[in-house]
Amino acid sequence: MLGVVIGAAVIAGAYLYLALNSHGWESNRLLSIGVGGGIGWVMMLNVWGVIWRIQKRLIAWTKDNAEKGTPMPEQSKRMARMAFLASRANAFLSIVLLFFMGAASHYPMFGK
């Protein structure tokens, strides 16, 4: 579900970017790099806002478990799964990001 939400946000953002920048003077490079840059921002926010925050908690809980024998909280499994899915979404988005970076020079699809 998280991947679907992120994918919909990326598609909506790319559509909005292309709709707002259709003045006639834009080149394929500008539009492709802009869409790829937007995907990069989504990936960065995904890592900073979801993955890293969860990983810090899981690392602290695991360290306490190893040193003091404190049991892992019940929410740790759910949080680990959420971080895994966010990481997988970033892996798929990186393929799309690389496509748009290459399309800037080699695949005219948006503009001149």
Side-chain angles (χ1 to χ4, degrees):
M1 187 67 188
L2 182 63
V4 172
V5 170
I6 291 172
V10 167
I11 291 170
Y15 175 78
L16 183 63
Y17 177 78
L18 292 173
L20 292 176
N21 289 307
S22 61
H23 305 295
W25 54 267
E26 298 84 5
S27 66
N28 184 59
R29 287 183 175 188
L30 172 77
L31 298 175
S32 293
I33 291 294
V35 170
I39 293 170
W41 274 100
V42 169
M43 290 172 64
M44 188 262 315
L45 292 173
N46 197 13
V47 169
W48 180 72
V50 178
I51 300 169
W52 180 236
R53 293 174 189 257
I54 291 173
Q55 291 299 326
K56 286 194 301 188
R57 289 181 189 167
L58 290 175
I59 289 169
W61 291 338
T62 304
K63 186 177 178 183
D64 283 344
N65 185 319
E67 291 175 354
K68 302 173 189 169
T70 309
M72 295 290 281
E74 288 295 320
Q75 62 192 12
S76 64
K77 290 180 184 177
R78 184 181 56 82
M79 290 174 70
R81 177 75 178 163
M82 188 184 313
F84 166 73
L85 292 175
S87 296
R88 183 177 283 179
N90 269 7
F92 289 126
L93 286 174
S94 67
I95 295 167
V96 178
L97 173 75
L98 290 172
F99 168 76
F100 280 109
M101 287 174 63
S105 295
H106 304 294
Y107 188 66
M109 63 182 154
F110 293 129
K112 311 175 228 177

